[in-house]
């Protein structure tokens, strides 16, 4: 489902018409090839893409500071050009790389913390996300990674650099027209709230969801103050279907590997609250905020994998597929024979094939911003 909100009555009317269920994923398995030609639109309105959040969009920022949340080693990047392990927590491209390609901006969105990036790379957009992060500041602190506020601070630094390079007016125009995507929240619930007792001591799950949503609002306000006008907020996936979550919560993890419904319910409830929050926001300066639903596309794949060309939905390709991620998925790990048949690469993160379908599901939102 897509929801839009902005300051003008025209945008509100448009938003009402654009509430829809993103159903692009209901394609046949025959169209599943990642080499399928997807005709990009003529893009003259979005010159850059900026990413914030966690490992679902981090293209390698964690490579550049001390943290255990890294993936810049084999077998990560198995399908990336030259089998390069970039720091993406998957076997190849992320959904946001496909978005950047679709827009004709660049083939890959690089990490901002890479000091070797050229001015041209910086001008067309970078990633500020940090694997292991969340919307709750405590989540990033627990994992020793970059919280959203630090990511926002880095973007503020980026803006200053652009002003020095292309002038204040040029930087303002670039940022006003750019597309901003934030994907985070899974770690807040899976790792923080349910993994550790800290937040559970002071918040009910409903209160914690509201706390997270308040922080989403603060983050959006921060982006708007820095000039963002096209903002996408990604909802939660079916977190109860993540292989590691199944392993840790199933009463018989080896034999009973169905999704943990109670956690999926938490994700659905949060997503409904998020949509309401975004639809009710009256952004200043005409900023437009869109919600992206990734729950339904992944849920559809998990429930009907063969319809989409997948075979394995509840284990990862790397190692046993039950718990391995980051350093536990390494060059010594046994790998599945055909990772394109797996929804998950390791026990937490989707494969390039799954990310491609996520890209297809969000394409209507991207197309809307191009109008």
């Amino acid at each position: 489902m897509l929801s839009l909100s902005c300051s003008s009555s025209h945008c509100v009317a448009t938003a009402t018409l654009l509430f829809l269920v993103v159903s692009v994923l209901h394609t046949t398995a025959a169209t599943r090839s990642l080499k399928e030609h997807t005709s990009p639109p003529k893009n003259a309105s979005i010159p850059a893409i900026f990413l914030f959040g966690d490992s679902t969009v981090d293209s390698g920022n964690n490579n550049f500071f001390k943290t255990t949340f890294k993936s810049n080693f084999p077998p990560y990047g198995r399908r990336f050009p030259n089998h390069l392990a970039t720091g993406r927590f998957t076997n190849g491209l992320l959904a946001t790389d496909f978005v950047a390609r679709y827009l004709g901006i660049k083939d890959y969105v690089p990490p901002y913390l890479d000091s070797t990036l050229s001015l041209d790379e910086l001008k067309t957009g970078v990633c500020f996300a940090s694997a292991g992060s969340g919307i709750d500041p405590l989540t990033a602190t627990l994992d020793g990674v970059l919280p959203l506020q630090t990511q926002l601070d880095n973007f503020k630094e980026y803006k200053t650099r652009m002003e020095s390079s292309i002038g204040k007016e040029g930087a303002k125009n670039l940022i006003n027209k750019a597309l901003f995507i934030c994907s985070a929240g899974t770690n807040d619930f899976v790792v923080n709230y349910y993994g550790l007792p800290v937040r559970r001591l002071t918040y009910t799950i409903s209160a914690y969801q509201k706390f997270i949503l308040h922080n989403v609002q603060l983050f959006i306000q921060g982006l708007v103050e820095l000039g963002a006008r096209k903002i996408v907020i990604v909802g939660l996936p079916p977190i109860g279907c993540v292989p590691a979550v199944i392993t840790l919560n199933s009463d018989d993890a080896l034999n009973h590997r169905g999704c943990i419904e109670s956690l999926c319910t938490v994700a659905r409830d949060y997503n409904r609250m998020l949509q309401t929050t975004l639809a009710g926001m009256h952004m200043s300066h005409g900023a437009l905020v869109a919600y992206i639903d990734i729950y339904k596309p992944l849920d559809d794949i998990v429930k009907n994998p063969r319809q989409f060309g997948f075979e394995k939905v509840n284990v990862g390709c790397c190692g046993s597929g039950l718990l391995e991620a980051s350093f536990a998925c390494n060059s010594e790990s046994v790998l599945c024979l055909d990772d394109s048949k797996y929804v998950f690469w390791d026990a937490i993160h989707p494969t390039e094939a799954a990310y491609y379908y996520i890209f297809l599901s969000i394409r209507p939102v991207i197309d809307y911003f191009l109008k």
Side-chain angles (χ1 to χ4, degrees), residues 123-181:
K123 284 172 59 177
T124 50
V126 287
C127 170
F128 297 93
S130 178
S133 192
I135 299 167
D136 180 351
L138 178 61
T139 302
T141 300
L142 293 170
D143 294 339
V145 296
L146 306 181
L148 275 185
Q149 184 55 55
T150 300
Q151 296 177 32
L152 200 59
D153 290 342
N154 285 341
F155 175 64
K156 186 176 182 179
E157 177 189 88
Y158 166 90
K159 180 181 179 181
T160 300
R161 292 174 66 182
M162 285 297 99
E163 289 174 346
S164 298
S165 299
I166 61 176
K168 286 191 175 182
E169 193 60 32
K172 178 183 177 181
N173 186 58
L174 173 69
I175 292 170
N176 284 172
K177 292 181 177 181
L179 180 64
F180 291 75
I181 300 177

Side-chain angles (χ1 to χ4, degrees), residues 295-353:
Y295 185 102
K296 188 179 187 301
L298 284 171
D299 188 53
D300 287 344
I301 292 174
V302 169
K303 289 179 177 177
N304 301 287
R306 294 191 181 278
Q307 178 181 343
F308 303 95
F310 292 98
E311 295 177 1
K312 298 291 185 179
V313 301
N314 56 18
V315 293
C317 170
C318 187
S320 69
L322 302 179
L323 280 173
E324 295 91 341
S326 190
F327 284 107
C329 173
N330 54 60
S331 59
E332 301 300 317
S333 300
V334 176
L335 300 178
C336 64
L337 293 178
D338 186 356
D339 51 28
S340 71
K341 301 297 184 183
Y342 281 65
V343 175
F344 291 93
W345 166 244
D346 57 22
I348 298 175
H349 305 97
T351 57
E352 179 183 89

Side-chain angles (χ1 to χ4, degrees), residues 67-311:
T67 175
T68 57
F69 285 80
K70 293 182 185 290
S71 60
N72 55 342
F73 45 83
Y76 288 98
R78 184 188 194 188
R79 285 183 176 267
F80 203 84
N82 298 318
H83 310 292
L84 183 63
T86 61
R88 289 167 172 80
F89 280 74
T90 186
N91 56 332
L93 302 182
L94 299 169
T96 42
D97 292 313
F98 287 116
V99 171
R101 289 182 172 199
Y102 180 65
L103 291 173
I105 294 174
K106 54 179 43 177
D107 287 338
Y108 320 104
V109 184
Y112 174 67
L113 295 184
D114 182 352
S115 61
T116 68
L117 295 181
S118 66
L119 177 60
D120 285 341
E121 279 280 29
L122 290 169
K123 284 172 59 177
T124 50
V126 287
C127 170
F128 297 93
S130 178
S133 192
I135 299 167
D136 180 351
L138 178 61
T139 302
T141 300
L142 293 170
D143 294 339
V145 296
L146 306 181
L148 275 185
Q149 184 55 55
T150 300
Q151 296 177 32
L152 200 59
D153 290 342
N154 285 341
F155 175 64
K156 186 176 182 179
E157 177 189 88
Y158 166 90
K159 180 181 179 181
T160 300
R161 292 174 66 182
M162 285 297 99
E163 289 174 346
S164 298
S165 299
I166 61 176
K168 286 191 175 182
E169 193 60 32
K172 178 183 177 181
N173 186 58
L174 173 69
I175 292 170
N176 284 172
K177 292 181 177 181
L179 180 64
F180 291 75
I181 300 177
C182 179
S183 176
T186 296
N187 294 323
D188 295 312
F189 292 95
V190 173
V191 178
N192 191 343
Y193 190 83
Y194 288 108
L196 297 170
V198 179
R199 290 304 193 194
R200 278 183 288 151
L201 292 175
T202 52
Y203 291 93
T204 63
I205 184 58
S206 178
Y208 189 64
Q209 289 168 327
K210 292 175 183 177
F211 170 73
I212 294 296
L213 291 170
H214 174 68
N215 280 281
V216 170
Q217 290 176 295
L218 293 177
F219 175 73
I220 292 172
Q221 290 167 9
L223 284 179
V224 172
E225 289 171 2
L226 291 170
R229 298 293 177 265
K230 301 175 181 179
I231 303 170
V232 172
I233 304 297
V234 181
L236 290 180
I239 58 178
C241 299
V242 174
V245 173
I246 295 173
T247 300
L248 295 172
N249 291 275
S250 174
D251 57 2
D252 183 358
L254 293 179
N255 299 303
H256 298 164
R257 297 204 55 79
C259 297
I260 307 301
E261 182 56 31
S262 60
L263 292 178
C264 287
T265 298
V266 167
R268 290 195 299 269
D269 290 345
Y270 170 81
N271 287 342
R272 282 192 290 268
M273 296 167 70
L274 176 60
Q275 290 175 72
T276 300
T277 298
L278 298 180
M281 290 184 72
H282 297 285
M283 301 298 295
S284 61
H285 308 297
L288 189 65
V289 181
Y291 166 81
I292 280 182
D293 175 18
I294 62 170
Y295 185 102
K296 188 179 187 301
L298 284 171
D299 188 53
D300 287 344
I301 292 174
V302 169
K303 289 179 177 177
N304 301 287
R306 294 191 181 278
Q307 178 181 343
F308 303 95
F310 292 98
E311 295 177 1

Side-chain angles (χ1 to χ4, degrees), residues 21-27 308 357 359-364:
V21 175
V22 178
S23 57
V24 182
L25 287 197
H26 291 281
T27 56
F308 303 95
Y357 271 110
F359 154 69
L360 290 179
S361 78
I362 69 178
R363 207 166 59 186

